[in-house]
């Protein structure tokens, strides 16, 4: 197994204890099953932090969540029984480990002293001394924990020792890593593990219908070095971690979003629409799992006549409805509906379903998915069963000559190729037109799968 070091992330703020306190609270919420972004939003809603401090809280939470398995392996080497420590204290240590290994602009002594003070405030001097001892031991190790071989464990079977070390190093549950290895081969699985551990790129989509669209795109291109950005079709762009400009055309990006000039949409989500040719659809379209409407808006801006957007979440649909109203897309109806029980007998046009899935293609953006029990074998089977029911219900309503696009943001044959194959076997009136999967070895693009079926 070769030795590899991940790129150290940029620091987005100071190392204030208050930010670390909020990060511990958010990580504790995640232990209770709350998704990462909801946990961050929950703690920040109760603070009066400035944007720089808010970014630091998010960076600490996301970083510690991504590194959870690696951190547990480190603490397991340095402590006799780390599982015996209070969970919030282990989060304090995880934040310090993140700072020592990945925040090169924070001095080691500051990261250690802040963590020790935090533990003392929570649990007293005795555990404060424990925290100091373990972090000093980590400091003495130097760069050793940045080497894959350091994570080899003699308790693993000899034939699996290097593989399990890679799982710990890239902080991925064994069952997900094994799934990828069995499905795609070890080389591709290692590339996926590396990609899932890296900080995600940020995707932006410029609204092509806005009069300032071209000026905005040119301004974004001019503000970031070419090596730190990538074009996604004619109007999308992705930015490397830490390179997203704070403003363009003299306005903060948040303000430009309010004006309808841009939206934040992951690069993978934009790419799959283009690769499958959905931006060329001309018949009326129904987005059957619309969520907050990223794909609905992207296709409307591309000129696709999206006539209906449905979802099971009233909150998400409310956000979509307000966005559609502000941007004068008045011909798109929004309705609360379950895709397994659609509200009409037939649909005279194309159908898009971005199905609920395990999210194994977006682990960098959703690091909470790696937490114990979140994506075990039973959960993966349950997703596939729901996907089969959704696809069958929508295919039943598909008219002759029309297409049904099935999308997921996961890399799992059971939820992707197998679901499509099952549908084709069940309904002989369907034909597979095209498929697309994010290249497995792409260094940063989110893992997406898409298939287009047509009613003959």
């Amino acid at each position: 197994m070769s030795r590899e070091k991940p790129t150290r992330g940029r620091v987005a703020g100071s190392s204030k204890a208050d930010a670390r306190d909020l990060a511990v609270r958010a990580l504790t919420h995640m232990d209770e099953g709350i998704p990462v972004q909801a946990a961050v939003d929950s703690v920040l809603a109760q603070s009066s932090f400035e944007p720089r401090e808010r970014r630091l809280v998010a960076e600490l939470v996301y970083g510690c969540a991504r590194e959870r398995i690696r951190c547990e392996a480190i603490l397991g080497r340095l402590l006799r029984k780390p599982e015996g420590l209070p969970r919030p204290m282990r989060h304090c240590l995880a934040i310090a480990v993140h700072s020592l290994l990945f925040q090169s602009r924070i001095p080691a002594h500051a990261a250690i002293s802040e963590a020790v003070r935090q533990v003392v405030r929570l649990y007293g001097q005795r555990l404060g001394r424990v925290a100091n001892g373990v972090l000093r031991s980590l400091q003495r190790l130097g760069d050793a924990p940045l080497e894959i071989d350091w994570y080899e464990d003699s308790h693993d079977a000899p034939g699996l020792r290097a593989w399990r070390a890679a799982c710990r190093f890239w902080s991925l549950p064994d069952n997900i890593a094994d799934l990828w290895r069995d499905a795609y081969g070890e080389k591709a699985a290692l590339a996926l593990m590396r990609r899932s551990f890296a900080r995600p790129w940020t995707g932006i989509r410029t609204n092509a219908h806005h009069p300032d669209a071209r000026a905005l795109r040119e301004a974004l291109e001019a503000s970031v070095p070419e090596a730190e950005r990538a074009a996604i079709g004619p109007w999308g762009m992705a930015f490397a971690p830490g390179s997203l400009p704070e403003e363009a055309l003299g306005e903060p990006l948040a303000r430009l979003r309010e004006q309808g000039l841009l939206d934040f949409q992951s690069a993978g989500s934009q790419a799959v629409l283009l690769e499958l040719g959905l931006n060329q659809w001309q018949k009326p379209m129904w987005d059957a799992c619309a969520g907050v409407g990223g794909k609905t808006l992207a296709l409307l801006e591309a000129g696709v006549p999206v006539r209906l957007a449905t979802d099971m979440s009233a909150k998400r649909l409310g956000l979509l409805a307000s966005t559609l109203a502000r941007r004068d897309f008045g011909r798109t109806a929004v309705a609360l509906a379950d895709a397994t029980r659609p509200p009409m007998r037939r649909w005279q046009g194309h159908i898009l379903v971005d199905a609920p899935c395990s999210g194994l293609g977006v682990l960098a953006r959703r690091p909470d998915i790696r937490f114990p029990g979140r994506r075990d074998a039973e959960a993966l089977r349950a997703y596939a069963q729901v996907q089969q029911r959704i696809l069958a219900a929508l295919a039943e309503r598909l008219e002759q000559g029309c297409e049904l696009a099935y999308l997921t943001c996961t890399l799992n044959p059971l939820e992707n190729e197998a679901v499509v194959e099952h549908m084709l076997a069940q309904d002989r009136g369907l034909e597979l037109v095209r498929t697309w999967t994010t290249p497995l070895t792409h260094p940063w693009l989110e893992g997406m799968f898409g298939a287009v079926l047509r009613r003959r």
Side-chain angles (χ1 to χ4, degrees):
M1 184 76 65
S2 62
R3 297 185 176 187
E4 302 185 50
K5 298 181 182 180
T7 304
R8 294 178 184 245
R10 301 183 184 180
V11 179
S14 66
S15 57
K16 288 188 176 182
D18 285 346
R20 293 170 181 269
D21 290 340
L22 288 190
V24 168
R25 286 168 53 191
L27 291 166
T28 303
H29 288 331
M30 292 173 64
D31 289 335
E32 300 165 356
I34 297 177
V36 58
Q37 189 58 56
V40 171
D41 290 343
S42 174
V43 299
L44 289 178
Q46 305 168 36
S47 76
S48 57
F49 277 12
E50 296 296 321
R52 189 180 183 189
E53 295 168 313
R54 297 171 73 88
R55 289 195 295 269
L56 175 58
V57 173
E59 198 253 335
L60 291 175
V61 175
Y62 274 85
C64 289
R66 277 194 301 272
E67 300 149 19
R68 180 181 176 120
I69 293 173
R70 184 191 290 199
C71 183
E72 289 176 347
I74 292 172
L75 296 180
R77 287 275 196 98
L78 302 178
L79 286 166
R80 183 173 297 177
K81 292 183 178 180
E83 67 277 3
L85 297 175
R87 171 56 75 177
M89 177 178 170
R90 288 156 67 184
H91 292 322
C92 295
L93 295 175
I95 290 170
V97 170
H98 173 77
S99 296
L100 289 169
L101 296 183
F102 299 105
Q103 291 185 310
S104 55
R105 294 184 185 178
I106 292 182
H109 67 86
I112 294 173
S113 62
E114 288 286 3
V116 171
R117 278 196 289 269
Q118 192 176 27
V119 172
V120 169
R121 286 199 309 272
L122 291 172
Y123 298 107
Q125 291 291 340
R126 185 181 70 83
L127 288 183
R129 288 191 292 272
V130 172
N132 184 68
V134 69
L135 294 175
R136 295 292 179 190
S137 296
L138 175 59
Q139 185 182 19
R140 287 192 290 272
L141 289 173
D143 284 345
L146 295 175
E147 305 286 347
I148 292 180
D149 295 348
W150 189 83
Y151 294 83
E152 291 191 4
D153 190 331
S154 60
H155 293 95
D156 293 328
L160 286 176
R161 197 164 293 166
W163 176 250
R164 291 290 174 243
C167 295
R168 297 182 190 106
F169 181 76
W170 296 116
S171 199
L172 197 70
D174 290 350
N175 72 304
I176 297 177
D178 292 351
L179 183 159
W180 284 347
R181 181 196 57 192
D182 295 344
Y184 309 121
E186 185 169 316
K187 182 178 179 181
L190 286 170
L192 292 175
M193 292 162 72
R194 185 182 303 110
R195 185 167 82 195
S196 72
F197 188 80
R199 293 172 63 197
W201 285 44
T202 301
I204 284 180
R205 188 190 73 253
T206 302
N207 180 0
H209 287 275
H210 197 284
D212 294 330
R214 190 166 300 281
L216 173 60
R217 183 171 179 84
E218 292 173 354
L220 290 172
E221 288 177 341
S223 65
V224 179
E226 188 174 357
E228 297 182 7
R229 57 177 168 81
I232 309 296
W235 297 106
M237 192 175 297
F239 298 87
S243 67
L244 181 70
E246 294 187 359
E247 62 177 40
L249 303 180
E251 295 273 10
L253 296 189
R255 177 62 179 154
L256 295 176
R257 184 184 186 188
E258 292 172 2
Q259 296 171 358
L261 187 48
L262 64 82
D263 275 297
F264 290 94
Q265 183 183 13
S266 73
S269 180
Q270 296 182 60
V272 69
L273 299 178
L274 299 173
E275 294 290 345
L276 292 176
L278 306 192
N279 59 320
Q280 303 299 316
W281 273 353
Q282 297 181 2
K283 295 181 180 180
M285 195 203 94
W286 166 26
D287 188 348
C289 289
V292 297
K295 294 180 177 64
T296 293
L297 293 169
L299 292 173
L300 282 167
E301 291 168 8
V304 177
V306 183
R307 295 291 177 255
L308 177 63
T310 61
D311 197 85
M312 291 181 63
S313 169
K315 181 178 180 181
R316 291 195 292 263
L317 283 178
L319 294 172
L320 172 56
S322 62
T323 303
L324 290 171
R326 287 197 307 272
R327 301 191 186 179
D328 198 25
F329 288 125
R331 296 190 63 188
T332 301
V334 175
L336 194 65
D338 181 348
T340 64
R341 293 177 293 177
M344 75 286 289
R345 292 180 180 274
R346 306 291 287 180
W347 177 258
Q348 296 180 342
H350 302 309
I351 304 173
L352 165 66
V353 56
D354 185 0
C357 68
S358 60
L360 302 188
V362 292
L363 282 166
R365 200 177 303 283
R366 285 286 312 279
D368 51 291
I369 291 174
R370 330 169 170 258
F371 281 34
R374 301 284 175 95
R375 295 296 185 268
D376 57 18
E378 182 179 351
L380 297 181
R381 284 193 296 271
Y383 277 113
Q385 291 166 1
V386 171
Q387 291 154 358
Q388 288 177 4
R389 292 201 301 272
I390 290 175
L391 209 52
L394 297 178
E396 186 178 343
R397 288 150 175 84
L398 190 66
E399 298 256 331
Q400 185 177 14
C402 294
E403 294 182 343
L404 167 58
Y406 173 72
L407 312 182
T408 73
C409 60
T410 195
L411 294 174
N412 175 16
L414 181 66
E415 300 177 70
N416 294 341
E417 292 86 354
V419 169
V420 173
E421 291 168 3
H422 180 268
M423 188 68 252
L424 292 171
Q426 294 296 113
D427 189 337
R428 298 296 183 179
L430 294 174
E431 61 179 345
L432 180 62
V433 179
R434 52 194 175 274
T435 65
W436 184 78
T437 303
T438 302
L440 301 178
T441 57
H442 194 287
W444 55 264
L445 190 62
E446 296 87 357
M448 307 292 294
F449 170 83
V452 177
L453 309 176
R454 180 183 294 134
R455 173 69 67 193
R456 288 193 284 250

